[in-house]
Amino acid sequence: MSAPLEIATSAATQVWTINKPEVGNAITDREFIGAFEAAVDAVNADTAIRALILTGHGKIFSAGGDVKEMADRGGIFGLDALDQRHAYIDGIQRIPRALARLEVPLIAAVNGPAIGAGCDLAMMCDIRIASERASFAESFVQLGLIPGDGGTWFLPRAVGYERAAEMTFTGDRIDAATALQWGMVSRVVAHDDLLAQAHALAERIVKNPPHALRMAKRLLRESQTASLDSTLGMAAAMQPLAHRDPEHEQRISKWKTS
């Protein structure tokens, strides 16, 4: 049986591939969620890894939830309301919590449709590169649902409140060109070049010292909700650690002699 999340390591970059094409790369089952959490914790413990790329197997990035299971009232969808509430907390919501503690820069290489929770997963990443075949939809409302995975927190931070509201209230799909125009992705590339472009960006990241990368990411993440004073305090606490990092010393020495 194939792993729900394939992991491939090349030097300081790791590629995570959602490998559930039979259900549109759905990310709501406990096996996938457990594998995803384990991958986050393993990377946090391994300072040799300096950048991550997340993509989907086949033609789709992720359809989010398993709509067939939903229609059949299988899994968590067959529970009563109170049990289902806890199932969301102990299920799909473990993904945004895991990514909140992820220390390594994460690039989404969106290879196709990113729908519902799949769209939200892309928004949870630090950087997004889209194939020309990619599309995005916050489609929950079309099924009479709401984003149960944190989409109402992530999407406005990616595209602003008004555009997030348009996507959330209509459920309409936007194409890659519109996603670029709205600032949802940093670039759109030819489909066959997607992973090469993602790796090229990762190479520019992994050239930098791992501890500085991890602290810079933490500051960026915390600044989304923290006050200026709090962010400055964190920076003041982290910077002396960076100054004492041997890689900083080496790079300063090279700069002095160049």
Side-chain angles (χ1 to χ4, degrees):
M1 185 175 178
S2 59
L5 184 69
E6 290 185 344
I7 298 173
T9 304
S10 175
T13 299
Q14 204 167 79
V15 179
W16 296 355
T17 303
I18 306 168
N19 185 33
K20 296 178 67 65
E22 70 283 359
V23 288
N25 289 334
I27 59 173
T28 50
D29 68 273
R30 297 185 71 85
E31 183 186 13
F32 176 84
I33 293 165
F36 197 88
E37 279 188 317
V40 167
D41 293 337
V43 164
N44 282 349
D46 184 0
T47 55
I49 303 300
R50 304 188 188 194
L52 299 170
I53 298 168
L54 175 65
T55 194
H57 180 81
K59 297 181 179 179
I60 189 167
F61 178 74
S62 174
D66 186 338
V67 178
K68 183 181 184 302
E69 185 178 56
M70 203 178 299
D72 293 342
R73 297 295 182 186
I76 70 166
F77 307 114
L79 301 175
D80 65 33
L82 290 177
D83 288 339
Q84 196 174 86
R85 172 179 176 269
H86 287 288
Y88 268 89
I89 293 169
D90 193 39
I92 186 66
Q93 291 184 0
R94 286 159 55 192
I95 290 179
R97 289 191 175 97
L99 289 181
R101 66 178 182 267
L102 177 63
E103 297 183 356
V104 176
L106 175 59
I107 302 164
V110 186
N111 55 299
I115 308 301
C119 177
D120 294 338
L121 177 61
M123 298 307 105
M124 296 175 201
C125 298
D126 300 301
I127 304 169
R128 290 169 288 279
I129 300 175
S131 156
E132 60 197 351
R133 300 178 190 174
S135 58
F136 302 85
E138 192 76 345
S139 57
F140 298 92
V141 71
Q142 293 186 349
L143 295 176
L145 297 174
I146 60 168
D149 59 340
T152 53
W153 196 93
F154 291 101
L155 188 58
R157 284 166 170 77
V159 298
Y161 178 85
E162 289 189 10
R163 283 169 172 159
E166 180 178 337
M167 291 185 69
T168 302
F169 298 155
T170 65
D172 290 346
R173 188 179 300 208
I174 65 169
D175 61 17
T178 303
L180 180 62
Q181 180 186 349
W182 286 9
M184 180 180 282
V185 300
S186 60
R187 71 191 74 171
V188 175
V189 302
H191 182 76
D192 292 342
D193 291 338
L194 177 64
L195 282 180
Q197 292 279 350
H199 275 285
L201 176 56
E203 283 300 311
R204 290 162 51 203
I205 292 171
V206 303
K207 291 178 180 177
N208 297 307
H211 296 295
L213 280 172
R214 291 179 181 222
M215 288 190 287
K217 171 163 177 171
R218 177 51 53 195
L219 278 174
L220 275 174
R221 286 294 191 177
E222 292 296 328
S223 70
Q224 291 183 294
T225 55
S227 67
L228 174 60
D229 280 345
S230 176
T231 302
L232 290 172
M234 286 186 66
M238 288 179 172
Q239 193 74 303
L241 299 176
H243 276 294
R244 295 297 179 268
D245 186 345
E247 283 208 49
H248 166 69
E249 299 287 348
Q250 294 167 11
R251 292 179 184 223
I252 284 293
S253 296
K254 288 181 181 178
W255 178 82
K256 285 168 63 176
T257 58
S258 62

